[in-house]
Structure formats: structure tokens, C-alpha cells
């Protein structure tokens, strides 16, 4: 009887089987490490993509690597939008000037009706009509400055002890309580003399405590008669002028409206 003789295994096949066994063992022993390394590489790739996106979109990365938007504005309510619009319109009225500079010709051309119809005066009229009070307006004071305006309350002999007290008088003053060409206008500006005598390039003699209550268009952008240290050119024109302005001035503004630096008025070049 014949017997079948098994062929010997090829050495190369044995080598291949051995390599496969080693590979399987390696993968089995290092499975968790490979998964963790792959996750790290994927996380880094995602991080780089998110960083690039935020650089373009204006966001920032959270602690978990997720993008947090900084560029998307919050949606305002109807009340907030209405308040923003109201403040914008108020600021516009506090900056407007349609009747020109009163002092351009020594106040000769001033027309009270133009001032009464100005955006500034109309805002005050609407403010009063809606129940607004002078006392709720915000006082802004600048030392060593003289703001221009039309007198709604004569300053000579209207004595106050400080510029703050003068400002309070302006806050109490109401239109049509004192006679004069500008009696229908509110007080929204003031000037106070703190020294024994305060220089002003006009015909009046101004002494300590004088408090002038004024109306000016665009009180958030006041016309400035004098401010700070007076230059030599000014003092050569006015030999009695001091080295620095003595007057203290200010305005009343609605809450939220910012006082600007203003502009030089015609009196600066008198």
C-alpha cells in the first residue's frame, strides 16, 4: 500500500507566516496607543482648521477647541432700537446750528424767531411737552473757558457763590419767566465770574459772582469765546486781558449726549 508523503513547507511561506504573526502581536499590544496617537493627529488637524476659520471669521477658541463667535452682534429689542434712534436724534439737535454765529456782527443780526425755530429750541419744547424737566439734564462745566450764547437772564448783579450754583440757576430757569428779546428760549448754557473782575472784550464791567444764563444753538458743540491760556496775539489786541481765561462756563445736555470740544466763536477774534 502506498502512503502520501507531505511536501515540505516553503521557507518563504514560513517567513511570511511569522511576519504576519509578529504584526498581529504588535497591533494587539499597541492597539490603544495607536488609537490615541491617531486621535491626537485628528484633533490637531481639526484644531488647525478651526484656528484658520476663526482667523477669517473673527471668532475665538473655547477651552474645548470649539469656535466661539465674537463678530455676531446681539439682536437688539425693539425698545433698545427705539432708544438708540431717540438718542441719535437728540444728539443731532444738540449739535445743529442753523441761525449762524450770533457774535459775527456784534449780535446785530440775531433774529429771536430763528432761534425759537431751531432744532435745539424745538427739542427743548418737545422735552417740556412730554414732561421733561430742566433738573434732569446733565451739567457739564469747563474751567477757564467762556461759552457764547444769548442772555436769557442778565448776568450783571446776578450773583452766585460758585459756578455750580450758577449751573443750578440755569437748571431752574424756565422760558417766559423773565422779560427780554430771548424770553421764549430755555437756559442751556452759562458763564460765571469767580474773580474780583473778569475780563471780557465788551462794554460791560464784570465782577465776582456774575452769573450769565444763556441759550445757544448746538450746546454739545458750543462756540467758545475764550479758553485756557491766552496767546500773545490776543493780549496784544487787548492790553487788559489776563494771562489765562478767568471765566468758568458750561452747558446743560440731555443724558447720553457728549459735550465736544466745540469751535471758536467770532468773539475769539474780536
Amino acid at each position: 500500500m502506498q502512503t502520501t508523503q507531505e511536501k515540505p513547507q516553503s521557507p518563504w511561506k514560513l517567513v511570511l507566516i511569522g511576519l504576519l504573526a509578529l504584526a498581529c502581536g504588535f497591533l494587539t499590544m499597541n492597539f490603544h496607543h495607536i488609537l490615541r496617537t491617531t486621535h491626537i493627529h485628528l484633533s490637531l488637524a481639526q484644531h488647525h482648521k478651526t484656528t484658520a476659520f476663526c482667523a477669517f471669521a473673527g471668532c475665538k477658541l473655547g477651552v474645548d477647541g470649539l469656535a466661539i463667535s465674537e463678530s455676531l452682534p446681539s439682536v437688539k429689542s425693539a425698545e433698545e432700537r427705539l432708544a438708540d434712534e431717540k438718542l441719535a436724534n437728540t444728539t443731532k439737535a444738540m449739535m445743529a446750528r442753523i441761525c449762524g454765529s450770533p457774535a459775527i456782527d456784534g449780535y446785530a443780526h440775531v433774529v429771536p424767531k430763528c432761534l425759537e425755530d431751531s432744532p435745539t429750541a424745538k427739542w427743548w419744547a418737545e422735552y417740556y411737552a412730554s414732561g421733561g424737566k430742566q433738573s434732569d439734564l446733565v451739567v457739564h462745566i469747563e474751567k477757564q473757558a467762556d461759552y457764547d450764547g444769548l442772555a436769557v437772564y442778565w448776568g450783571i448783579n446776578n450773583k452766585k457763590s460758585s459756578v455750580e450754583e450758577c449751573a443750578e440757576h440755569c437748571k431752574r430757569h424756565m422760558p417766559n419767566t423773565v422779560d427780554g428779546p430771548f424770553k421764549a428760549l430755555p437756559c442751556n448754557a452759562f458763564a460765571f465770574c469767580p474773580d474780583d473782575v473778569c475780563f471780557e472784550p465788551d462794554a460791560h464791567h464784570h465782577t465776582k459772582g456774575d452769573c450769565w444764563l444763556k441759550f445757544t444753538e448746538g450746546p454739545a458743540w458750543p462756540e467758545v469765546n475764550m479758553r485756557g491760556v491766552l496767546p500773545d496775539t490776543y493780549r496784544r489786541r487787548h492790553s487788559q486781558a489776563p494771562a489765562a481765561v478767568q471765566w468758568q462756563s458750561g452747558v446743560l445736555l440731555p443724558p447720553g449726549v457728549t459735550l465736544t470740544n466745540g469751535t471758536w466763536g467770532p468773539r475769539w477774534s474780536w
Side-chain angles (χ1 to χ4, degrees):
M1 183 170 98
Q2 290 183 338
T3 59
T4 303
Q5 186 177 5
E6 293 183 359
K7 295 181 179 181
Q9 295 286 345
S10 170
W12 293 110
K13 187 174 182 179
L14 293 174
V15 171
L16 179 61
I17 293 172
L19 289 175
L20 289 173
L22 287 173
C24 289
F26 176 80
L27 290 174
T28 301
M29 295 177 62
N30 295 277
F31 180 73
H32 293 292
H33 175 73
I34 293 170
L35 281 180
R36 188 175 63 179
T37 304
T38 303
H39 176 72
I40 291 172
H41 284 295
L42 289 174
S43 297
L44 287 173
Q46 181 62 35
H47 177 78
H48 290 315
K49 289 180 180 179
T50 306
T51 302
F53 172 77
C54 283
F56 171 77
C59 59
K60 66 178 182 180
L61 294 179
V63 293
D64 55 0
L66 298 178
I68 301 175
S69 175
E70 288 186 326
S71 60
L72 293 178
S74 59
V75 178
K76 291 188 176 182
S77 66
E79 291 79 6
E80 290 173 324
R81 292 196 301 272
L82 183 61
D84 289 345
E85 182 180 357
K86 184 177 180 181
L87 178 58
N89 290 335
T90 297
T91 300
K92 185 177 180 180
M94 295 302 107
M95 297 283 288
R97 186 177 297 277
I98 67 170
C99 301
S101 297
I104 193 68
D105 55 1
Y107 305 94
H109 80 287
V110 175
V111 179
K113 185 64 168 60
C114 181
L115 297 169
E116 293 168 16
D117 292 338
S118 68
T120 301
K122 284 185 175 180
W123 182 92
W124 248 268
E126 293 172 1
Y127 178 69
Y128 292 145
S130 64
K133 300 177 181 179
Q134 283 280 95
S135 58
D136 293 332
L137 300 175
V138 179
V139 175
H140 298 262
I141 294 174
E142 181 179 356
K143 303 294 180 69
Q144 289 191 328
D146 177 28
Y147 293 172
D148 197 29
L150 290 310
V152 297
Y153 198 104
W154 203 248
I156 294 176
N157 295 324
N158 179 33
K159 300 297 184 181
K160 304 298 177 186
S161 61
S162 67
V163 65
E164 290 80 11
E165 187 178 336
C166 183
E168 286 301 314
H169 189 183
C170 184
K171 292 181 75 172
R172 294 193 308 269
H173 180 82
M174 294 297 294
N176 298 307
T177 56
V178 178
D179 198 16
F182 310 112
K183 64 181 182 180
L185 296 169
C187 178
N188 62 9
F190 51 90
F192 172 74
C193 173
D195 294 343
D196 291 338
V197 176
C198 289
F199 169 79
E200 188 73 53
D202 60 17
H204 302 295
H205 186 61
H206 305 277
T207 57
K208 188 177 182 66
D210 282 357
C211 170
W212 290 81
L213 306 188
K214 305 178 181 183
F215 171 82
T216 179
E217 287 190 90
W221 190 47
E223 287 197 324
V224 181
N225 296 330
M226 295 181 287
R227 171 180 279 155
V229 175
L230 295 172
D232 292 340
T233 53
Y234 189 95
R235 297 177 68 191
R236 281 196 291 269
R237 293 199 310 271
H238 304 285
S239 59
Q240 301 301 314
V245 176
Q246 300 158 294
W247 291 93
Q248 300 173 349
S249 291
V251 293
L252 303 185
L253 294 177
V257 177
T258 301
L259 175 63
T260 71
N261 201 42
T263 182
W264 291 114
R267 289 175 72 115
W268 172 245
S269 58
W270 278 11

